Amino acid sequence: MSNNPGILIVEDDLSDADLIHSAIRDQKIRNRIYTLSSGEEALRFLRRQGLFQDAPSVSLVLLDLNLPEMDGFAVLREIRKDPLLTRLPVIMLTGSERDEDRLASYDLQANCIIRKPADGGQFIRAVQMIETFWFKIVRLPPAP
């Protein structure tokens, strides 16, 4: 695995995507960051299909639950069914407080689910904690 594993952000809200990107950059860890706004694009990217046939590997996916057309549950379900992607760590991001959403995420084998705080500063701190935990503490599997 590369010393600087990539991160895929799948987020249709541009302001949330920008906050996530900025928070990761502020940690001064040199991960390559790729941002897509739909579940369909994310799956093509991860599977290196179509326009994404030369896409790099990533070692972590930050996946918004509420995406248009194909929601985060459907994307996670596809990732877990794919033998080449099944070990890829996926963190679900949501504004939802619903127990059903948390349970469904874990039933689909999300590595964790994080609620997006309404406060921008709290959201940045949450993303920075994700970055610290997943890239400084955890030993990730090789990128697919």
Side-chain angles (χ1 to χ4, degrees), residues 6 12 39 62 71 80 83 88 96 111 135 137:
D12 63 317
L62 302 178
D71 68 15
R80 293 301 181 236
L88 182 63
S96 172
N111 293 85
F135 289 105
I137 298 171

Side-chain angles (χ1 to χ4, degrees), residues 80-129:
R80 293 301 181 236
K81 284 189 332 189
D82 188 320
L84 298 176
L85 301 175
T86 193
R87 290 188 183 116
L88 182 63
V90 177
I91 297 174
M92 302 297 283
L93 301 174
T94 184
S96 172
E97 290 274 356
R98 294 171 25 123
D99 288 340
E100 297 84 4
D101 291 340
R102 285 196 304 270
L103 292 171
S105 295
Y106 286 118
D107 286 345
L108 292 168
Q109 300 174 359
N111 293 85
C112 65
I113 183 167
I114 295 179
R115 187 174 174 279
K116 294 191 239 180
D119 174 80
Q122 287 180 344
F123 189 37
I124 288 171
R125 284 188 295 282
V127 171
Q128 289 172 338
M129 286 189 272

